[in-house]
Amino acid sequence: MIEFAHASLALLNRDIRAVARSRSQLYSSLLFPLMLLALLGTGVSSGLSPTSPRILNGDYTSFLAPGMIAMTALFSSTFSSAGFYRDRESGLLRAMLASPHSPQTILFGKSLGAILIGTIQALAVLVLAVIIPGIDLSWQYGWLGGVATVVVTVLALNFMLSGLSLLLALKIKTMQGFHLVMNLVLFPLFFLSGAFFPLDEVPTWLEAIGYANPLTYAVDLLHYASYADSPDGLIGPLIDGLVLGSLAALLFAFGLRRAPRSV
Amino acid sequence: MPTPEPDIASSQIPVRLTGASFVWPGGRGVADVNLAVQRGEIVTLLGPNGAGKSTILKMLSGEVAPQRGEVSIFGEHHGPSARRRIGLVLQEPSTDDLMTLRETLQLHGRLFGLRRNALYQRCQELLDSLGIGDRANDRCETLSGGLRRRLDIARALLHHPDLLLLDEPTLALDPDSSLAIWETLHDRASDGAAVVICSNDTVEAERNADRVVFVNDGRQVAQDTPSSLTSGLKSDALELDWPELRAADLDELTRWDGVGDTIRTDDGLHLTVDNSAEIVPRLFQTYGSQIAGIRIRESSLRDAWFKIVGRPIENGSGPEA
């Protein structure tokens, strides 16, 4: 167990250093959600004057904030998982798999980096949303519980995404193919997650797709904990937590189980 | 050519492959490999690209398990304790451009359970011994191919392995880097490590290996010391560009005194002779108009390969399996 922790921490340390040295990835993961908040949020708030009761006071920028937290987790976790390909192509992964540790330990350590980086970057967007004047988060059950819920949600979301990335990366041989599939999967998931519009006010067929989308439960929980001023129209933390937690555990465990000795 | 059977029953032998076979999807692979490597021994798996050398190395490193036969590393089938005793150098330099040399070694040291203080010291000691100590804090992206290779070697040696597995460690390196790497490998072998190297360089194999295993088309075709493999050869080797060589001329040539093995190649003839100073003038007197070119050298492992396999080692059969 100590050796497992030792190896995982060594890999985590290495992946965090690697991301810290890829400045463009760091900056873009923070700038993109901020840009959406500023441009899309302001544009929709002013230009379309949304009247949905779920968009409090017609302020679309604030409504968008929880979705941007989920989006940041989504993209930074995916980018970090792409490090799997870099390590595979450079031969570093093969060298690491030749160590005494099981392939599961190596891939767990590598996933830990992706999860932690995705979580930190998503929480950085939360911090910016709190700081930026004009973004109003209600914290309906208090900010302490709200922040704790956001942290747990983002962590679970990153575990789920890491598991999914791992499964895809073990199957898809090239980084280009991985990005293509991820974009094909991630964008529809993201658009239909309730991050951009409330799902309870769209046509039934769209609502059905939305509720079949695992990301919806993460965005719902983020809305519930930070933005919404009442639980009305939301799925609620119990179902959100169950769906998200189960999927995160399942996908992550399944991804690790498929880890091969030879890459 | 005699192929002595290794004493594969002895439990004292650190590395054993017994009738090991592995076939990749697509059909390439190796069949029925029997290999035993002693402590302190340097064994070179020699063969062209695609012969199956890397597959043998992967069975030894535990990356793939033989589909038939057995692999035993220090008396056990592959597991964490066997892997702890193996140092592996892959065919291509395997470093992360964004990491420094020290970080690269520290990551691997920690994966092999080395503790922080001892690890720091060991890293510097190894980098110094391979002549890259002054680059310890530089990023790997600043290293040349030769220096990257030295870093790979340092990484493989970090945890004091008893078995070193190296895939083409000196391929395309400058002479200084090659020399530094061979000196290190000989030192490790003197300290009791078993060393297995994949190569298609006959000169390096002859110069450095205690034993050479010829691998061709997925088969182990011979294994012996370099001197034994070359012992039956005539002293000089001739490679003739002779595209229009006729069967009758070849037949005549094999009856000349002082001519040893003759092997027809794609564009001419390879032969070994007792004394090239006598044979070459006679060749040109008799067949001069037909011979477009000639290369003369002392017989070597390359000619032993020629004799056993029937074609030059560089005539590989595609990408390495």
Side-chain angles (χ1 to χ4, degrees), chain A residues 199-214:
Chain A
L199 285 177
D200 51 345
E201 294 175 29
V202 297
T204 315
W205 65 270
L206 201 55
E207 191 181 358
I209 297 175
Y211 286 125
N213 174 5

Side-chain angles (χ1 to χ4, degrees), chain A residues 34-239:
Chain A
L34 285 181
M35 201 173 69
L36 276 182
L37 280 173
L39 302 181
L40 189 64
T42 311
V44 172
S45 295
S46 311
L48 296 176
S49 307
T51 54
S52 163
R54 293 277 310 283
I55 301 174
L56 305 174
N57 308 317
D59 176 9
Y60 187 68
T61 309
S62 300
F63 173 83
L64 210 51
M68 292 303 102
I69 294 170
M71 186 190 78
T72 308
L74 198 68
F75 287 105
S76 55
S77 176
T78 311
F79 277 132
S80 303
S81 298
F84 175 89
Y85 284 94
R86 208 181 60 220
D87 287 349
R88 183 158 75 179
E89 276 160 24
S90 71
L92 196 62
L93 189 59
R94 240 184 103 190
M96 291 194 254
L97 287 169
S99 75
H101 301 281
S102 68
Q104 282 75 20
T105 303
I106 300 297
L107 290 186
F108 178 82
K110 284 202 63 57
S111 301
L112 218 53
I115 290 163
L116 196 69
I117 291 155
T119 302
I120 290 171
Q121 289 182 338
L123 295 179
V125 173
L126 172 70
V127 170
L128 290 172
V130 169
I131 293 171
I132 293 171
I135 295 181
D136 295 318
L137 301 176
S138 302
W139 303 112
Q140 59 173 321
Y141 296 107
W143 70 267
L144 196 61
V147 169
T149 308
V150 170
V151 171
V152 172
T153 306
V154 167
L155 265 175
L157 179 60
N158 276 297
F159 263 99
M160 186 177 82
L161 294 168
S162 267
L164 179 68
S165 303
L166 207 52
L167 279 171
L168 287 175
L170 291 172
K171 202 85 188 149
I172 302 167
K173 295 294 172 210
T174 64
M175 199 191 291
Q176 291 83 350
F178 172 78
H179 280 305
L180 198 72
V181 172
M182 281 310 258
N183 287 342
L184 215 64
V185 173
L186 290 186
F187 277 105
L189 280 182
F190 186 53
F191 283 127
L192 293 172
S193 66
F196 286 104
F197 45 83
L199 285 177
D200 51 345
E201 294 175 29
V202 297
T204 315
W205 65 270
L206 201 55
E207 191 181 358
I209 297 175
Y211 286 125
N213 174 5
L215 210 56
T216 300
Y217 300 88
V219 172
D220 190 77
L221 203 47
L222 292 174
H223 269 130
Y224 181 89
S226 62
Y227 170 71
D229 62 355
S230 84
D232 296 343
L234 294 169
I235 300 168
L238 188 65
I239 295 176

Side-chain angles (χ1 to χ4, degrees), chain B residues 87-108:
Chain B
L88 178 66
V89 174
L90 305 175
Q91 195 168 21
E92 299 293 331
S94 45
T95 48
D96 180 350
D97 281 352
L98 294 176
M99 294 168 82
T100 67
L101 280 68
R102 193 190 303 285
E103 286 167 353
T104 303
L105 294 187
Q106 281 178 332
L107 169 64
H108 285 268

